[in-house]
Amino acid sequence: MAAILNQIKVGNCDVDVKIVISNKAAAPGLLRAQADNIATKSFNITDFKNKDDYEKSLTQALRDAGVELVVLAGYMRILGEGFI
């Protein structure tokens, strides 16, 4: 994720990052995104009743941010069929 943001910053990647999401609130990627004034959100799966509810909340956050393409750069959780 940091490599992508670096390439955007130097003009080698013409994309608009809408939000950076992590399953860990203290993830370094969230701090980096915040430093670049990019919206961030974290979702801890233990805060949800089940994986489906977790993924529904994740999906809603992406929709609310206007995301058109999801890049799982450094996101290390396995996402279910409902999310994909």
Side-chain angles (χ1 to χ4, degrees):
M1 191 272 313
I4 293 169
L5 295 181
N6 289 342
Q7 291 304 304
I8 292 169
K9 195 171 260 190
V10 298
N12 290 336
C13 188
D14 186 23
V15 298
D16 181 20
V17 178
K18 301 287 188 183
I19 191 167
V20 173
I21 299 175
S22 176
N23 63 312
K24 297 183 180 186
L30 296 179
L31 296 175
R32 169 60 197 277
Q34 291 165 356
D36 288 352
N37 295 314
I38 298 169
T40 61
K41 196 154 185 103
S42 67
F43 293 96
N44 186 332
I45 196 164
T46 61
D47 293 338
F48 295 87
K49 186 170 47 173
N50 56 49
K51 186 176 178 181
D52 286 339
D53 287 349
Y54 168 82
E55 291 182 359
K56 285 177 185 174
S57 292
L58 181 62
T59 300
Q60 191 60 53
L62 294 167
R63 285 188 178 135
D64 290 348
V67 171
E68 296 176 8
L69 174 70
V70 175
V71 178
L72 298 172
Y75 198 84
M76 301 303 290
R77 291 202 55 84
I78 295 174
L79 295 167
E81 186 177 318
F83 178 84
I84 302 301

